[in-house]
Amino acid sequence: MKFILKINGSESENAAYIGWTPVKCTLTIDGYTGDSPMPVTITPEHRNKTGRIDLYLNNSANETPIQKIEHDFKTKNELIFYVAGKFEHSSVLEKDVFISVKSDNTDLKLEKDIMVQVRKNANKLTDDEINLFLEAFVRLNTEKTKKEYLGNYSRTPSKLLHEIVLMHTYDAVNEIHQRTSFHPWHRIFNMHLERELQAIFPQVTIPYWKFDKKAERVFTSKFIGETEKYDPEAPQEMQPKFDKMNPLVNYVENTVWGTLNRAYQDRNPANQDTFGRVNGKRDVLTEKEIVNEGPDNFEGWSEHEERKSHNSAHNVFAGDVADVGKDPIDPLFFMMHSNVDRLWAKWQHMYNRFDGHQMETYPHPDKYEGKRGEEWIEEWKQNATQEELDFFDENGFYMQTNKDIGNFLEDTLWPWDLDTDDSRPMRKYKPGVDPEFGEGNMPEIEIEFPKSPTSNYPNGPITVKSTIDFQGRLNNNTPLGFDYDDIPYFDQDRKPSTEFAMDNLKDGDLLPKDNEKQLWTLSQLKNNESDLSERLKAIGSIDETSEVFLDTILDIIADSDAPVDLRVDLINRMVAAKRENIFYPSRKPRFFNILRGLIDNQNKKLRFQAIGILTANQDSVVQKFLIDEINKTESDLISKSDAIFFLRQNPKPQHASLFLELYNQSKDPEVKRAAIAGLGNDPESKQLLIKIVLDGEEDFKIREAAALSLQHLDHEKMNDLAAEILLKPKKGNGIKLFKSVSPTTDEVDFKAGLLNMLTFTGDINSLKQNEGLKNSLNELVATKTSNKAKFLSSVESVSAVPLAGPTIIEQMAAKLLKRLEGNHNE
């Protein structure tokens, strides 16, 4: 005989991850005949770590926990009960709690190990929790796509992470923003990524960046990257800085959208609160202002949170995470949306908004029954303005509203509507080739929502409704399978709020602006006689969602007599309007024409800002400009390395021949390194990259760039080469890993990068068979090895703090060794 305990209907170890929401357990005895009494006792137990669990006989929110369950299987051959994590007692990356089942009259027993798994504040994660989240994200960037994409596209997903990222392109921006379906869509989008991460490491959840508080442990080289202040004149400083132990080192140089870029605008989120005022502009509202003092109906609250919290958090930055359509390439995006979703969940708890059929919970009931697809577009064209028609012809999609498909309660959410007839009247995907740049359109992503062993829901078409009751409080069989560390399930754990206001927006600063005052303020902005500081302050009092705001700032940006700093600030505001102003698409052509006129401006700040924005938006004019400047012997406008960096933000196949020529002809190591880094999206360059990586006489920085490019193209091949290089014996008195007893910092950086690749993207089972590699690693970390203090990376060599412990490369070697000697999932 043996006990069989199923959690969520499964015996799988991967199903034993729970949160605060109770999960159904089914206990039976295999081989028991029922002829004699079989009393058993079930209790919740722990292993003196951080996790705790409780048992329940039912899963309603008003249940109270019980210390033990007693049952005789002779009276009933199946026992059903529920288990939930004890609120505020989650686990840390391990199954540190268990359900104990013991027979009272035999020696039969069972211990079912469980992890209490919830989404946590990113600023409070342990180092191990940080590393596993980042590693899972990077490993997802090595997984194959679920579907093959044929045709010529401006972006073709080649990895599963690409496939997920490209759901959120600018082409779909109006399907998933500025509508009441914004929060439901992004809840599912985050769940999609999280379930794929958990297929790699089931312990992982997406942490949340609480962006109304400083996050000194988040914006570091060990986590999401040191983030510098935005400086248009220093584009390469926009890359977040990671140390060699961070898995993102393998990711930052080559994403589906080129290099990863991020810089903060006014406040450094690592050491300053992001709410408050800067130059009269209100940044992110506090959680209290969003949740407690916002509207008590979802339609008003959703817009309130999206504009005053979500949009403002994105606009703290310049770079990819501020660029709607590209932002998911930055893992920070998902941490931001984990917080956005948490704020919605908190608001739901405050007002008990879980019933989607109540207008206060979701204002657009039933299902969209209007015209769809081509039929809808033809009717729309009959009533559209010429400006709207021109935009549609240029971009291939139209502006959606709350009255369109995808925004009603019973509508399916795009793009997870594969088995429905909900044809969207949005972008028409027409693969084609741009005659000048070989550029097609974005592929239509067709990807199924991933299944989860910890939740059976959603188990059919994913609708707006299926996202709302995320803990299954009304229908106890439909929790979505995630919880937040500060949002309980049971009534006994809820803390009464003394702060929330039912009178909605009390802060006058949040109320709609007076039109006459706005018009006067806008007129002052145009007046070049006004003081610059006052003009900057005035921007904060304007409704940035209006047409007149866009027209006014475009006039100032185009005014060559306006102060440079004001124009720079307003260009940033115009980029931010892409996310939150429904009139932005109609002003986009004028905005881009103004920027095109600035790419050869004598002011470097304006020039580089315009080049960066146009490049990020795949503009052909700036592409041609950059190529022309690179081909000049000397350029007064931009250096070759900066021009290459900008081209890499929009990688195209035809750039490869240019980069190859630069590598072969340039004498400048920085240009050669940049050119090799630019080949990370060109499969035809694979053999050249292999040759450079193995070239022992080549500059180590160039070899490192080649390794990162090859890693992006073929991580398995690069990992094979990394192992080969690391175990190859070297002549001299030094250890095998280095050429000499005093290696240069560039060599240490290169070798540490190779260790990083093997540790976070290598096939550990295969590497376990490599005895030579293990010997080299053991030699490096051996305590008696001489000259270890000289094995310093470039970061350690310039640090003002004396080295107190093992060097970075020793730590990487030790980490890889630990994995080779054990289970790397643990």
Side-chain angles (χ1 to χ4, degrees):
M1 291 189 298
K2 68 174 183 177
F3 289 120
I4 297 177
L5 178 59
K6 294 183 179 180
I7 297 179
N8 194 40
S10 173
E11 289 186 80
S12 168
E13 292 301 313
N14 288 339
Y17 294 86
I18 66 172
W20 314 138
T21 303
V23 177
K24 183 178 180 180
C25 298
T26 305
L27 181 65
T28 58
I29 304 179
D30 184 36
Y32 171 61
T33 62
D35 295 334
S36 58
M38 179 59 75
V40 298
T41 301
I42 303 100
T43 56
E45 306 291 346
H46 62 85
R47 294 191 169 89
N48 293 315
K49 300 291 182 68
T50 59
R52 297 291 186 275
I53 55 174
D54 284 322
L55 302 182
Y56 298 84
L57 293 177
N58 210 321
N59 59 346
S60 64
N62 59 9
E63 287 289 305
T64 56
I66 53 179
Q67 296 303 310
K68 65 179 178 179
I69 299 174
E70 295 179 322
H71 176 75
D72 191 339
F73 277 90
K74 186 174 183 180
T75 61
K76 190 176 182 182
N77 62 8
E78 180 182 80
L79 172 64
I80 295 176
F81 62 97
Y82 295 84
V83 62
K86 184 186 288 288
F87 186 57
E88 297 182 329
H89 294 279
S90 59
S91 307
V92 178
L93 294 185
E94 64 175 325
K95 293 178 176 178
D96 60 350
V97 294
F98 61 97
I99 297 174
S100 172
V101 183
K102 293 181 179 180
S103 168
D104 294 347
N105 56 7
T106 73
D107 58 359
L108 195 63
K109 64 180 181 179
L110 172 70
E111 292 183 354
K112 184 69 172 181
D113 292 331
I114 292 173
M115 176 179 168
V116 182
Q117 178 192 65
V118 295
R119 296 177 181 174
K120 299 179 181 179
N121 185 335
N123 206 47
K124 297 180 180 179
L125 296 183
T126 66
D127 289 345
D128 288 340
E129 287 174 315
I130 291 170
N131 289 335
L132 205 64
F133 167 65
L134 297 178
E135 181 178 350
F137 189 87
V138 168
R139 284 187 178 270
L140 200 62
N141 198 44
T142 66
E143 299 278 337
K144 294 180 180 179
T145 58
K146 298 292 178 73
K147 177 195 170 186
E148 185 178 8
Y149 295 86
L150 303 175
N152 296 310
Y153 302 111
S154 57
R155 287 295 174 277
T156 302
S158 60
K159 301 172 182 180
L160 180 54
L161 183 61
H162 297 175
E163 209 166 18
I164 297 171
V165 164
L166 291 177
M167 295 181 196
H168 196 277
T169 64
Y170 181 59
D171 304 322
V173 64
N174 297 296
E175 170 86 20
I176 58 181
H177 296 92
Q178 301 178 62
R179 305 211 291 169
T180 48
S181 56
F182 165 79
H183 286 87
W185 191 94
H186 283 85
R187 175 169 281 178
I188 288 293
F189 187 48
N190 245 36
M191 282 179 61
H192 190 125
L193 178 86
E194 185 171 73
R195 288 190 175 187
E196 292 292 3
L197 296 178
Q198 289 170 347
I200 299 170
F201 297 127
Q203 310 96 311
V204 169
T205 59
I206 300 177
Y208 59 87
W209 168 41
K210 195 175 186 300
F211 33 70
D212 65 342
K213 299 292 184 183
K214 66 180 180 180
E216 67 278 5
R217 297 191 69 249
V218 173
F219 294 93
T220 68
S221 63
K222 292 183 177 181
F223 196 172
I224 213 66
E226 289 183 7
T227 306
E228 304 292 337
K229 184 173 176 59
Y230 174 58
D231 180 0
E233 297 183 63
Q236 298 188 54
E237 291 300 312
M238 285 187 66
Q239 286 189 283
K241 307 299 187 297
F242 301 97
D243 70 31
K244 292 296 182 180
M245 296 186 66
N246 192 318
L248 292 178
V249 166
N250 296 313
Y251 176 76
V252 63
E253 283 290 343
N254 296 282
T255 76
V256 69
W257 290 111
T259 62
L260 178 64
N261 293 301
R262 185 199 320 131
Y264 66 87
Q265 297 271 17
D266 299 310
R267 294 177 181 267
N268 184 351
N271 56 39
Q272 292 179 286
D273 294 340
T274 52
F275 59 86
R277 294 182 181 276
V278 178
N279 292 330
K281 175 178 173 288
R282 192 173 183 87
D283 286 346
V284 183
L285 297 190
T286 65
E287 186 169 310
K288 177 176 178 290
E289 289 171 307
I290 291 296
V291 177
N292 301 61
E293 298 175 4
D296 64 349
N297 66 86
F298 183 70
E299 185 158 30
W301 183 86
S302 178
E303 180 183 4
H304 175 59
E305 193 287 322
E306 184 180 1
R307 287 187 56 199
K308 297 294 185 178
S309 180
H310 164 265
N311 288 355
S312 297
H314 276 283
N315 294 334
V316 165
F317 302 99
D320 297 313
V321 78
D323 189 353
V324 61
K326 288 188 174 181
D327 37 7
I329 70 167
D330 193 332
L332 178 63
F333 168 93
F334 294 99
M335 292 163 57
M336 294 173 73
H337 275 276
S338 189
N339 193 54
V340 168
D341 188 75
R342 184 183 68 91
L343 292 173
W344 180 25
K346 274 208 160 186
W347 179 86
Q348 289 181 282
H349 268 264
M350 176 169 290
Y351 294 105
N352 197 29
R353 302 288 190 237
F354 298 101
D355 185 352
H357 295 290
Q358 294 180 350
M359 292 295 289
E360 293 84 358
T361 298
Y362 196 79
H364 303 289
D366 305 321
K367 187 177 180 68
Y368 175 80
E369 298 294 350
K371 296 180 178 180
R372 306 177 185 188
E374 294 289 350
E375 192 177 290
W376 190 101
I377 291 172
E378 290 306 312
E379 181 179 276
W380 174 80
K381 284 182 176 179
Q382 295 175 13
N383 301 308
T385 65
Q386 187 60 47
E387 193 173 43
E388 290 171 331
L389 289 172
D390 291 342
F391 174 78
F392 180 83
D393 290 339
E394 179 183 348
N395 295 276
F397 62 94
Y398 78 104
M399 304 296 296
Q400 288 170 283
T401 70
N402 282 338
K403 297 180 181 179
D404 294 329
I405 189 171
N407 201 63
F408 290 79
L409 188 70
E410 303 292 344
D411 286 352
T412 57
L413 290 173
W414 175 92
W416 302 284
D417 52 353
L418 305 182
D419 299 324
T420 71
D421 61 352
D422 286 353
S423 176
R424 257 52 172 179
M426 53 176 296
R427 179 181 172 90
K428 302 307 296 177
Y429 296 89
K430 295 171 287 193
V433 177
D434 183 291
E436 185 174 5
F437 289 102
E439 177 182 347
N441 293 299
M442 298 299 300
E444 184 170 12
I445 300 298
E446 296 181 3
I447 184 170
E448 293 184 7
F449 189 70
K451 303 295 183 183
S452 168
T454 61
S455 173
N456 301 322
Y457 197 70
N459 56 5
I462 298 175
T463 64
V464 172
K465 180 183 177 181
S466 61
T467 72
I468 293 174
D469 186 15
F470 75 99
Q471 289 178 317
R473 297 174 68 85
L474 302 182
N475 184 343
N476 298 135
N477 297 316
T478 60
L480 294 179
F482 66 87
D483 281 297
Y484 291 98
D485 57 1
D486 61 345
I487 302 176
Y489 175 87
F490 291 102
D491 294 339
Q492 66 198 19
D493 297 318
R494 298 183 68 179
K495 299 175 182 177
S497 174
T498 59
E499 298 176 330
F500 80 85
M502 296 297 288
D503 55 352
N504 299 351
L505 298 174
K506 299 194 299 184
D507 186 348
D509 183 67
L510 304 180
L511 295 174
K513 308 293 188 297
D514 177 80
N515 286 336
E516 288 188 11
K517 182 178 180 182
Q518 282 202 78
L519 291 174
W520 180 86
T521 304
L522 289 166
S523 70
Q524 292 301 300
L525 271 178
K526 289 186 176 182
N527 184 358
N528 284 338
E529 301 300 318
S530 298
D531 181 76
L532 174 61
S533 62
E534 292 302 317
R535 294 173 78 178
L536 289 171
K537 286 182 181 179
I539 299 171
S541 63
I542 300 171
D543 180 5
E544 297 186 15
T545 64
S546 67
E547 287 182 278
V548 68
F549 173 73
L550 297 183
D551 292 334
T552 301
I553 67 173
L554 285 173
D555 288 344
I556 298 171
I557 293 169
D559 183 0
S560 60
D561 293 328
V564 168
D565 287 343
L566 178 63
R567 296 169 78 188
V568 167
D569 187 89
L570 293 181
I571 288 172
N572 289 335
R573 302 298 172 94
M574 193 68 195
V575 172
K578 179 179 176 182
R579 184 181 301 278
E580 63 183 12
N581 192 310
I582 63 173
F583 305 105
Y584 172 85
S586 63
R587 270 61 176 183
K588 176 185 172 184
R590 185 189 176 199
F591 180 42
F592 275 31
N593 279 332
I594 294 172
L595 293 177
R596 291 175 189 129
L598 294 175
I599 61 178
D600 59 356
N601 192 280
Q602 291 305 302
N603 184 279
K604 185 178 180 182
K605 189 177 289 187
L606 284 172
R607 182 168 73 246
F608 273 40
Q609 187 181 31
I611 292 171
I613 294 169
L614 290 171
T615 303
N617 284 273
Q618 308 179 66
D619 183 70
S620 60
V621 173
V622 78
Q623 294 271 322
K624 186 175 185 303
F625 165 81
L626 290 169
I627 292 171
D628 288 345
E629 294 302 307
I630 285 175
N631 286 327
K632 292 179 180 179
T633 304
E634 293 290 339
S635 171
D636 295 330
L637 298 176
I638 190 168
S639 70
K640 281 182 169 54
S641 61
D642 280 342
I644 295 170
F645 179 81
F646 280 124
L647 280 178
R648 292 182 60 207
Q649 307 318 304
N650 185 23
K652 296 183 180 300
Q654 63 271 21
H655 295 161
S657 59
L658 176 63
F659 294 155
L660 181 59
E661 183 180 353
L662 286 167
Y663 170 72
N664 287 326
Q665 295 184 1
S666 178
K667 304 296 184 183
D668 185 342
E670 196 58 36
V671 173
K672 292 172 74 72
R673 188 208 65 79
I676 289 301
L679 296 175
N681 287 281
D682 178 45
E684 299 300 317
S685 297
K686 181 176 172 179
Q687 292 306 314
L688 171 64
L689 295 172
I690 291 173
K691 179 181 176 182
I692 295 172
V693 168
L694 292 174
D695 186 353
E697 302 305 316
E698 181 60 272
D699 180 272
F700 279 111
K701 285 189 176 181
I702 295 175
R703 292 179 72 186
E704 182 177 28
L708 289 169
S709 290
L710 183 58
Q711 174 81 358
H712 184 67
L713 289 172
D714 186 344
H715 76 280
E716 292 177 342
K717 178 61 178 178
M718 184 57 236
N719 287 337
D720 288 343
L721 296 183
E724 178 184 336
I725 293 168
L726 289 170
L727 65 82
K728 186 178 294 184
K730 296 293 182 181
K731 294 181 180 179
N733 298 321
I735 66 171
K736 292 179 182 178
L737 207 62
F738 297 112
K739 286 184 175 181
S740 70
V741 293
S742 299
T744 65
T745 56
D746 288 348
E747 183 180 359
V748 175
D749 285 347
F750 175 60
K751 301 291 175 64
L754 299 182
L755 287 172
N756 187 297
M757 290 176 183
L758 293 178
T759 302
F760 297 121
T761 66
D763 182 344
I764 298 300
N765 290 328
S766 175
L767 290 172
K768 283 182 177 181
Q769 313 306 316
N770 193 327
E771 294 299 327
L773 176 62
K774 287 193 282 188
N775 290 337
S776 288
L777 296 177
N778 275 310
E779 185 181 16
L780 177 61
V781 300
T783 56
K784 294 182 180 180
T785 302
S786 61
N787 296 309
K788 284 198 304 180
K790 294 181 180 179
F791 304 156
L792 300 181
S793 65
S794 56
V795 173
E796 292 166 309
S797 67
V798 298
S799 175
V801 180
L803 186 66
T807 60
I808 285 176
I809 195 166
E810 288 178 271
Q811 293 179 64
M812 285 305 306
K815 189 176 186 71
L816 180 53
L817 267 177
K818 183 178 179 181
R819 294 195 169 190
L820 296 180
E821 294 166 355
N823 183 347
H824 78 284
N825 284 338
E826 293 180 355

